[in-house]
Every structure is written in structure tokens, then in C-alpha cells.
Amino acid sequence: MNAPARVTFRIRRFDPVRQSPPSWEDFEIPAVAGMTVLDGLRTIKETLAPTLAWRSSCRMGVCGSCGMFINGHPRLACNTQIAELGSGPVTVAPLPNFDTIRDLVPDLRPMFDKHAALSPYIIRDDHDEMYEPTGEYGQTPEELEEFLQFTYCIKCGCCMAACPTCATDPVYSGPMPLGQAHRYNADSRDGGFTTRKTALAGDQGPWRCHYAGECSRACPKGVDPARAIQLMKRQLVFDYLRLYSQPCPAGVVTPAPASARRPDVPEAPAPTVDVSRARTSPSC
Amino acid sequence: MLDTKGYPNRLGLRGWVGGGRWGLERYLYTLHRLTGLGLLVYFLLHIIVTSARAFGAAAWDASMARVTGPVFVAGEYLVFAAFVFHAANGVRLALVELGWAIGRPIEPVYPYRTSVDEQRPLAVGVLIVAALLAVVGGLDFFVLH
């Protein structure tokens, strides 16, 4: 599909100094094939509105900085070509369900605070091994698949902007923090389910999710936080019914026995840690 | 540390309805909430109306007389339809929230296939069941009686 020769951007502006309500401003710029919304914003800033503010960095859908409400849907500006938005003006607003700092810059701090409150990291009690590792924690490909999808999250906030519960409930943690909590709950190397379970109880937890599914549709990385939240609910229900007990976290694997090396492959450098002290988590 | 006075941008109830750019399940979410609230209001009214029985037969008859007529029959049918949808969709939600019908985690490869796509047949089935029950109930409300 060819982009039109010129395209109109309708951008929601907000000046924190004036504190007047946000207003819409139109900008018409030349359109080129392959132009993304982020390209358009840069053109507008360079030629028409030098005070226009937004947040972006990598320009390739990796950093998660440029989440915006584009034509009524949360998307990454760098990942959205204007040609795919059809005819008519391209409307760009800051991500909803976050306060607006300026123009297209949302205040993501509440999301990151909720994320941090759910302990999104590996929790184990073998602190010596954690901080002075002697080897790798063993994990099968099947165990990896249980959480791999959820590791692709780039914390852009698109899911939070799409969630109808987040639209009315400021207490609810939201899809990103909850999805990431399950990412660690489902990790066979982790032993933190009991710790997170306490933080997941109450109105901030997954029970405020009623599966509108919008977070998964909006996610630009295919992370599917709705699936993670439902799987977390199953885990919590089974735990409540005493039908689930978290298995012991994966232990350190013993190195594979030495085998004949191909003569054309150089030797690996000598290990810098002692991998012979294989052991499992001391609590198991 | 950044410290500005941000402008509130929470969608509020508009976020339930959306602008027509959302998926089927979002509307089921909204309808589930609205029917739930409707049923709650009905139960409260039901308790108020039937509590007239505590004040004697005459009060009961007067109370019943106030809630007859075609408008109330239509209203009762709406309550029935809301109940049918809420119950059928509730079964879907219970299944989904227990991890059934949403599939296992997969490596995301574009175009992404999400758990919402996995459970879509269940959602469509629920709507069909609810519609059939609503039609049967409609026959009972408006034709047989």
C-alpha cells in the first residue's frame, strides 16, 4: 500500500507549565514510503514544532520507550507505519491510564513501582551460589518454554493503556507487573512463589483481571500477559486448595563429562569458577 | 528525580466501552460487568418488593399489582437475558481463569497468536448458547404465556 503524498498528524499537546487542559494540534507533513509514526514525529519536531516532546530511543521496537495511543490504540510509534493506519489523519496521544508529563510523555513510574513490588527477579535461599556462582542452574527446554514467552516484555506500558480494569482502578497492578510476576513464578530456577503470593493477594492482584484480553492484543512483542495472569490464577487456586506445591528450585548442574574434541576447534579458556561443587538449593 | 505535576489521563468508564477498536472479549468484559450490576439491582428490588409480604396479604397484593403489565414482563425478560449471558460467560471465565482453553506459553513469532485467539471458539460458543437460551426464554415470556 502506498502512503499518501502528505499526511496530517493530529497530536495531543500538554504543557505542564501552563497546566491548561490538553489540546489537539494538527500538523501536515510530507509522507514517504515506509514512514513510521516516530519518523513523522521527528519531522514535525524538526520543521514545525520544536517544543514537541515524546520519549523514544532505539527506533526498532526493542527499548519500549515510544508507546503511544495511535489512532485509538496503544502501539509503539517506531513499529507503526503510517501506511498501515489507513487514510485520514494520524491521531497521536500519550498512553492513557498514566498521567501525562508533557505532550506524548506518560508518567510510567506507577507501573514500575507496581512491577518492583512483585519481586520480579529470581528468589532463592542459596545466597552463596547466587552471588558467587559455581555453575549454571539446570533447566530443560520444556521448563524454559513455561516462561520464555513472558521474558520478551519490554515494559512499554501498551498493555496497561489497553486494560479496561486499569482504566478505572488505580490500585490494580495491571498486566505488565502481573505478567512479569508469573514469568518468575513459572521459572524452574525460582523459589519465590510464596513471597510473591503475599504481594499478589488483594485488589492489586490478578483477581481484578476479568480477561478482556486487550493487553495481549496490544502487546507489540507477543508477550501475552493475559495468558500469564490466567496461569498465575490457576497456580494460586491450586495452591489455595493445597493441590500445588512449588518444586525445589533447579540446582547447579554438574558439567558434562569430557569428550573427544574436534581438532579444528580451539580449546575453551580455563574456567574461572570451580564447577565441581555441584549442589542443589540447601532448603531442599 | 523527576517530579512534575502530570495531567490525569485515566480513561475511566470510557475505557470499558472503547471506541470500536477493541476486540470481542473486551465487550464481553463490559457486558459481563453491566449484566452483573443489573442483576444486583434486580435482586435488591426483588427483596424490597417481596418484603411486602411481611406486612400482610393486602400489602403483598398491592405490591404485586405494582409490578405487573407489559413493561414489567419486558423488564423481567431483560433480567432473564442478562442472567443467561452472565451465567454462560461466567462459565467461560471460570474455565479461562483456571488456565483451560488458553493454550500453553509459546515463543512469540509474528504474526502473534495469543491466548485470546486460543479461547475464541469458547467465547463464540458461549454467545451461541446464551443466544439460544435467550430465544427459548423469549418464547416462554412472550408467546407461551
Side-chain angles (χ1 to χ4, degrees):
Chain A
M1 190 191 311
N2 291 327
R6 295 186 73 78
V7 62
T8 300
F9 275 63
R10 181 164 296 157
I11 299 176
R12 207 174 87 145
R13 309 284 312 263
F14 170 66
D15 183 346
V17 177
R18 290 186 195 159
Q19 278 291 318
S20 54
S23 58
W24 292 91
E25 205 170 329
D26 286 0
F27 303 94
E28 192 178 277
I29 57 170
V32 294
M35 185 183 214
T36 65
V37 173
L38 184 60
D39 294 335
L41 293 176
R42 294 178 73 86
T43 303
I44 290 167
K45 188 174 178 72
E46 288 166 2
T47 60
L48 299 171
T51 60
L52 181 63
W54 73 87
R55 193 188 284 128
S56 68
S57 181
C58 74
R59 298 187 291 180
M60 56 188 200
V62 173
C63 72
S65 303
C66 63
M68 297 174 193
F69 207 52
I70 299 168
N71 279 21
H73 207 72
R75 305 167 192 258
L76 294 181
C78 69
N79 227 11
T80 306
Q81 298 203 4
I82 58 171
E84 72 186 73
L85 297 173
S87 58
V90 177
T91 62
V92 190
L95 283 182
N97 303 337
F98 298 103
D99 288 356
T100 304
I101 294 175
R102 183 188 178 101
D103 291 342
L104 303 173
V105 183
D107 184 356
L108 300 178
R109 285 174 297 181
M111 177 178 76
F112 292 128
D113 290 344
K114 290 170 179 173
H115 182 222
L118 296 179
S119 308
Y121 39 80
I122 296 281
I123 298 174
R124 300 172 63 98
D125 50 13
D126 52 350
H127 299 284
D128 291 347
E129 184 62 37
M130 288 277 282
Y131 296 106
E132 291 182 44
T134 60
E136 296 178 9
Y137 294 126
Q139 192 164 61
T140 66
E142 291 74 23
E143 289 170 335
L144 176 65
E145 284 177 6
E146 291 296 318
F147 70 91
L148 178 64
Q149 178 174 26
F150 313 128
T151 66
Y152 288 88
C153 176
I154 55 175
K155 283 82 178 172
C156 60
C158 286
C159 57
M160 307 284 284
C163 173
T165 304
C166 288
T168 49
D169 187 352
V171 177
Y172 175 54
S173 292
M176 189 286 274
L178 291 173
Q180 289 310 291
H182 183 69
R183 173 254 174 273
Y184 287 95
N185 280 345
D187 191 328
S188 63
R189 299 165 298 179
D190 178 77
F193 174 71
T194 306
T195 304
R196 285 185 207 99
K197 189 172 66 174
T198 309
L200 290 167
D203 286 346
Q204 74 273 28
W207 304 107
R208 300 292 290 173
C209 166
H210 304 300
Y211 204 69
E214 215 58 63
C215 54
S216 295
R217 268 189 290 266
C219 179
K221 305 297 285 185
V223 168
D224 204 347
R227 173 181 278 150
I229 295 172
Q230 311 322 308
L231 293 175
M232 173 192 279
K233 287 179 188 172
R234 174 166 70 177
Q235 213 173 25
L236 290 167
V237 167
F238 280 35
D239 176 71
Y240 181 77
L241 297 174
R242 302 189 190 285
L243 297 173
Y244 172 79
S245 63
Q246 188 177 28
C248 288
V252 176
V253 292
T254 52
S259 56
R261 296 189 61 82
R262 284 170 49 191
D264 56 331
V265 177
E267 283 291 329
T272 55
V273 293
D274 178 10
V275 295
S276 62
R277 294 186 294 126
R279 64 174 189 234
T280 58
S281 176
S283 65
C284 293
Chain B
M1 179 74 175
L2 178 71
D3 191 17
T4 60
K5 188 181 177 190
Y7 190 83
N9 193 25
R10 198 170 290 281
L11 284 176
L13 288 177
R14 277 188 303 133
W16 287 13
V17 182
R21 297 180 183 280
W22 309 108
L24 169 67
E25 286 72 17
R26 189 191 193 97
Y27 294 105
L28 296 184
Y29 166 100
T30 303
L31 200 54
H32 197 78
R33 288 197 151 185
L34 291 178
T35 52
L37 289 171
L39 290 171
L40 180 65
V41 170
Y42 170 77
F43 282 132
L44 292 174
L45 292 174
H46 178 69
I47 289 169
I48 291 170
V49 170
T50 55
S51 64
R53 188 64 187 89
F55 301 101
W60 169 257
D61 290 339
S63 178
M64 286 297 100
R66 275 196 293 272
V67 291
T68 54
V71 172
F72 282 94
V73 172
E76 276 188 318
Y77 176 71
L78 282 180
V79 170
F80 172 75
F83 164 73
V84 162
F85 169 79
H86 199 82
N89 195 48
V91 170
R92 176 184 73 95
L93 289 176
L95 291 174
V96 164
E97 292 187 4
L98 287 172
W100 283 306
I102 58 170
R104 295 174 57 80
I106 53 172
E107 185 158 6
V109 177
Y110 194 83
Y112 305 126
R113 181 171 172 81
T114 68
S115 59
V116 184
D117 302 313
E118 293 284 340
Q119 64 79 57
R120 179 60 57 77
L122 179 63
V124 172
V126 157
L127 285 177
I128 291 172
V129 168
L132 286 175
L133 289 173
V135 168
V136 172
L139 289 175
D140 186 63
F141 267 81
F142 299 115
V143 179
L144 300 178
H145 286 84

